[in-house]
Every structure is written in C-alpha cells, then in structure tokens.
Amino acid sequence: VVIIFFFAYNWELMHRGVKMGIAVALILAVFAVTIKVKMSDFTRKITVSTLCGLVGVFWAIFGQVYQTKADSHVLFLTWALCILAWVCIADFYPLWTIFIVLFSMGVIPLFPDTDWFLTLLMLYGLAWIAFFMFAPKYLPHLSAPPSWFISLLCTIEFGMAVFVVCYAIIAENGVQNLWMAFAITAATIWCALNQKNIWLYSMLFAGALCVLECVFIKCLHHEFVGLLFNLIMTTAALAGSSYAIVEQYKKWKQEKIETSTNQTR
C-alpha cells in the first residue's frame, strides 16, 4: 500500500521514461515468473491473466504519456490484440471472457450506425458462440468450453433478442431486427431443452416476463385499474414461471439420476 501511494503521489513528477519503464518492468517480471517459477496449472493461468492486465496498464500509460488522443475503443482493441497469443496459450475461459469483453468494446463501436445495427450485434454474438462450440474440434490446443461459459454467452445473446423485442414494442421502432431476435429465441429454446440447461430454461421465462411487462406498459393506461391489472397479471405470470422452472428442474434431475443408475448397472 505504501508503494502504491508513493507512486500515486509522485506520478506527475516522474519522467515519462520512468513511467513507461515501470509498466514494462512489471510486464517482464510477471512474464519471468510465469516462465521460470514452478507452479500449478491454475496458478499459472492466473499469473498469465495478471500479465494480460498489465498490458492494458502499459497502453493506458502510453496513451497518457504521449497524448495519442486515441478513442477508448482503440485502446481496448489494441489491448485485446496484444494479449491474444497469451489468451490462446493459457486456454483459461475466465481470461477468454475478459478478452471477449475487451475485443467487443473495441470492435462494436466500428459497426455502421444503421437501422440494422442490432441485427449486426446479434450476428456478432452468434459468431462468438459458434466459434467456441465448434473450434475445439479443429483446434487441438483449445479445450471444450465449460457449461457456464456457453450459458453466459447464450444468456447475453438472448438478452439482446429480448431487448430488440421490447424496443420494438415500446418505441415502435427496429421492427426489421425482429426476425433475427425470433431466430435467436428459437435457438435458445432448442439449446435449453436439448442440453437440459436449467439456467437457459429460466432465462426463457425471464425474457417472456420482460416482453409481457412491455406489452402491459404499452397497452394499459396509467390508471388505477390498469396498474392493478398489471400487478395481478405480472404476479400470476411470475408464480407460474417459478412453478414451471422448479418442476422442470425436478424432472431433469430425476432423468439424470436414472441415466446414471442405468450406466452403473
């Protein structure tokens, strides 16, 4: 803590070469630790993740020292491209998550500002999902993604689809993006049922409730009767959704137990 406060207090007085040197020294030090020190595979992946974070610190200092006046998305895109090799080598899906966030923050602002922007955004998300679902079959170094990772990507993609539908209902705009939203919804339904993923199954009901609420807001007047009807219907829908999710979870859990028992026999 003392060291951090020392550098923070004297940062403006330091020569730009010292500032850049500190960032480079940290990167080299962590890189040397990663290469030379014996550690568990998990610890090494955490160390590589730290190394990737320090690369971002370096580029932030570089932009501050030389006043490059680059837009923020340029910083994120440069950061993502510089750590791509280490991300691939680490094969650590929390690090892949960070990489996707950085890359997206750099690439999405480059999308053309058209009426089809949301469709392009959904296609961009589908490209990532397709990559991680099929790439491990052709790239031996890339391990199969964990279920939480695919569920996270699918949840974000389905969330965009729900946003498109709600936006079309409330603002009466962006109707041209509905076809892609419906396709993603259908794919999410298939994925949830085929993989028996209770999280995605729950997200389907959450999305349906969001759309239902938007319909109520759009159609009902802001009067007492309308608000009361909205409250009753929303409560009933929430209760019904909760019941359906719990029952489906019990069913899939029982099927999993029976399958495991049959395999044991």
Side-chain angles (χ1 to χ4, degrees), residues 152-242:
L152 176 63
L153 295 182
C154 291
T155 300
I156 296 173
E157 187 72 4
F158 179 65
M160 287 191 290
V162 172
F163 173 79
V164 168
V165 176
C166 293
Y167 182 68
I169 294 173
I170 298 295
E172 298 181 358
N173 197 358
V175 180
Q176 65 277 3
N177 299 302
L178 286 177
W179 290 109
M180 179 57 65
F182 292 152
I184 290 175
T185 301
T188 306
I189 294 173
W190 178 86
C191 186
L193 298 178
N194 184 63
Q195 297 184 1
K196 298 181 180 180
N197 190 319
I198 194 63
W199 171 259
L200 290 182
Y201 188 78
S202 303
M203 288 301 101
L204 291 173
F205 283 95
L209 287 173
C210 290
V211 174
L212 182 64
E213 192 65 26
C214 289
V215 172
F216 286 156
I217 294 173
K218 186 67 177 180
C219 297
L220 299 178
H221 298 290
H222 295 286
E223 300 174 354
F224 177 76
V225 176
L227 293 175
L228 182 61
F229 179 77
N230 186 0
L231 179 62
I232 294 174
M233 293 301 297
T234 302
T235 303
L238 184 60
S241 300
S242 301

Side-chain angles (χ1 to χ4, degrees), residues 4-124:
I4 293 174
F5 276 103
F6 172 79
F7 282 109
Y9 183 77
N10 297 281
W11 188 253
E12 294 297 332
L13 301 177
M14 292 181 182
H15 187 269
R16 61 184 182 182
V18 176
K19 295 179 181 180
M20 299 291 292
I22 292 173
V24 173
L26 287 173
I27 292 175
L28 293 177
V30 176
F31 181 76
V33 169
T34 305
I35 298 298
K36 297 295 184 179
V37 177
K38 293 183 179 180
M39 60 185 75
S40 65
D41 184 57
F42 178 77
T43 304
R44 194 176 303 278
K45 290 178 179 180
I46 295 295
T47 308
V48 173
S49 301
T50 304
L51 181 63
C52 294
L54 290 173
V55 171
V57 173
F58 169 80
W59 283 115
I61 295 174
F62 181 87
Q64 181 190 46
V65 169
Y66 291 100
Q67 295 296 317
T68 56
K69 297 181 180 179
D71 293 331
S72 59
H73 72 273
V74 175
L75 168 64
F76 292 123
L77 183 58
T78 304
W79 184 358
L81 293 177
C82 286
I83 66 174
L84 177 58
W86 288 335
V87 173
C88 294
I89 292 172
D91 193 25
F92 188 45
Y93 275 93
L95 184 56
W96 270 114
T97 304
I98 296 173
F99 173 81
I100 292 173
V101 172
L102 293 174
F103 189 81
S104 300
M105 293 174 70
V107 169
I108 291 176
L110 301 178
F111 284 8
D113 187 13
T114 66
D115 294 336
W116 296 92
F117 173 78
L118 292 174
T119 296
L120 294 175
L121 192 60
M122 288 184 284
L123 287 172
Y124 172 79

